[in-house]
Amino acid sequence: MEPLQNRSRQSAVRILRAAIDVITDLGIQDFTMAAVATRAEVSVGGVYGRYPDKDALLYAVKDHGLAHLADGIEASEDPLIQVRSQVYSVSYARRNA
């Protein structure tokens, strides 16, 4: 669910970016909600208010990354990248049907 207020949206973006930074800088083994809160400059309760647990935040990070990857593929003018993307999509759909 997308936050309605600008301040809330900014907080959501900070939390997501902080989560990505924690994973990048510390690794998944040291990924904690407290570390994310510190990086995002919000309370731990603020992180838990948006994500009920660490897995939910990790899924949000994954979804964010996939969305940016898809945007990059769609923007690509390389026909080989476009074809590979379409083949992967069909293959993925068949495996998960």
Side-chain angles (χ1 to χ4, degrees):
M1 180 198 274
E2 183 72 24
L4 298 178
Q5 294 184 349
N6 187 42
R7 188 177 65 206
S8 183
R9 280 192 301 273
Q10 289 173 351
S11 177
V13 168
R14 280 199 327 270
I15 290 169
L16 192 57
R17 286 183 180 161
I20 293 166
D21 289 346
V22 168
I23 293 168
T24 302
D25 295 346
L26 303 179
I28 196 72
Q29 70 280 358
D30 292 324
F31 180 83
T32 65
M33 298 295 255
V36 171
T38 298
R39 292 273 179 116
E41 298 179 345
V42 300
S43 69
V44 174
V47 177
Y48 277 107
R50 188 155 313 278
Y51 302 98
D53 55 34
K54 189 163 74 168
D55 287 343
L57 182 49
L58 288 170
Y59 278 113
V61 167
K62 175 195 64 106
D63 289 344
H64 177 77
L66 291 175
H68 282 291
L69 179 62
D71 290 346
I73 290 170
E74 289 175 9
S76 174
E77 294 180 13
D78 185 339
L80 183 58
I81 290 175
Q82 293 290 332
V83 169
R84 284 182 178 166
S85 173
Q86 291 172 1
V87 168
Y88 175 78
S89 295
V90 169
S91 174
Y92 181 82
R94 285 185 177 172
R95 281 193 312 259
N96 294 300

